[in-house]
Amino acid sequence: MTPLDQRIDDVRSSALREISEAGDRSALDGVRVKYLARKGHIAALFEELSSVPPDQKPAAGKALNLLRREIQAAFDARLGQAAHPEGRRIDRTDLTLPGKQKWVGSRHPLTQTLDEIRGIFRRMGFAVATGPEIEDDYHNFEALNFPPDHPARDMQDTFFISKNVLLRTHTSPVQIRVMENTPPPVRVIIPGRVYRNEAISARSYCLFHQVEGLYVDQGVTFRELKGTLVSFAKQFYGSSLKYRFRPSYFPFTEPSAEMDITCFLCGGEGCRVCKKTGWLEILGCGMVDPNVYSFVGYDPKKVSGYAFGMGIERIAMLRFGLDDIRILFENDVRFLRQFA
Ligand code: PHE
């Protein structure tokens, strides 16, 4: 063993002992300066390399490098412990941290509204029917008694795909499809998406949802139409509401009407929502025009019936106090989470 080897061994054992015995951070730092700093013991040993005979130099240099790495490693290990004196405690769950919120999915307000409407009509004996959103001119207009040049066609701004193919502007074409495929009696509601080529604003969007109703049987009267709709409105909006039917016009119903209810926000006093009138228009309806029966092969002398249609967005907006229809289509979770 050369004298340098002996010195290396001495420095190693004293350094390791002092590192393990250092009681706190500053004692440890003192040990680091003593051994590892630029003027420390290890650097001093490196100085001595110059006086080592050339044939021993490589081995001595290697031994010194090893020493430095070993001491540095021991020091680092001890420093890690000093920072976390309780060792493995650091891996444990910190129960004082705030919890992670797990969000529960929710049904869209339109779906909630629709489900409720569907439930009420199901209990009154209505089945659910659906039809295509891409329609032909025949079902959307012609069979609903809109003559080719009838101005009523302009009432609805239509997205045409080709001359005879379009995005349905209402759910009424499904009335035709149901009657084409089913002999009377029929009693259905038809929920679905409809499209209109309107300027987009807080009040109107290029698509929205309707629920259509159709009941055709022998001897169905306007009185039944009223009774059914009033019963629906009282279940949906509250039993104390007042209502009125105003004459209206649709090509496929005769007579036609619109149903208003007293504003459920102000109870009829007049407010911002009902535009100070005290009334809210909630749906269009009427007795199926006999001309419509001839398009679907029903005998107008044998059957009669009624139809109605209402917009879902409007109802949902009134219910939930929304002032911009577009929020229903943005799928912003900050909005949707409020309906969980
Ligand atoms: N389809 C009509 C509309 O979109 C509503 C309606 C349906 C009216 C059924 C009467 C009967 O405005």
Side-chain angles (χ1 to χ4, degrees), residues 170 172 175 196 210 212 250 252-253 284-285 307-309:
H170 49 178
S172 302
Q175 286 188 34
R196 287 188 201 174
Q210 289 186 329
E212 189 91 5
F250 301 100
F252 42 93
T253 49
C285 60
F308 57 86

Side-chain angles (χ1 to χ4, degrees), residues 220-233 243-246 257 259 283 285-287 306 308:
V220 177
T221 63
F222 195 87
R223 192 195 305 205
E224 286 179 76
L225 168 62
K226 283 179 72 175
T228 304
L229 292 177
V230 168
S231 170
F232 159 74
Y243 58 86
R244 68 183 185 193
F245 286 82
R246 281 179 293 106
M259 184 183 184
L283 53 83
C285 60
M287 300 306 289
Y306 62 73
F308 57 86

Side-chain angles (χ1 to χ4, degrees), residues 115-162:
D115 283 351
E116 206 171 317
I117 295 170
R118 234 189 319 234
I120 293 171
F121 282 107
R122 196 176 36 226
R123 289 190 289 278
M124 293 197 285
F126 285 77
V128 174
T130 54
E133 290 176 26
I134 298 176
E135 259 301 358
D136 47 37
D137 182 277
Y138 177 80
H139 289 89
N140 197 79
F141 293 123
E142 191 177 338
L144 286 165
N145 203 34
F146 289 78
D149 299 315
H150 197 286
R153 286 193 179 206
D154 297 332
M155 279 164 48
Q156 311 195 330
D157 306 298
T158 311
F159 283 114
F160 282 96
I161 293 170
S162 64

Side-chain angles (χ1 to χ4, degrees), residues 18-19 22 24-33 75 78-79 82:
E18 288 174 41
I19 288 172
D24 58 20
R25 192 59 200 266
S26 74
L28 193 59
D29 211 45
V31 179
R32 186 186 63 80
V33 171
F75 177 79
R78 200 49 227 288
L79 194 65

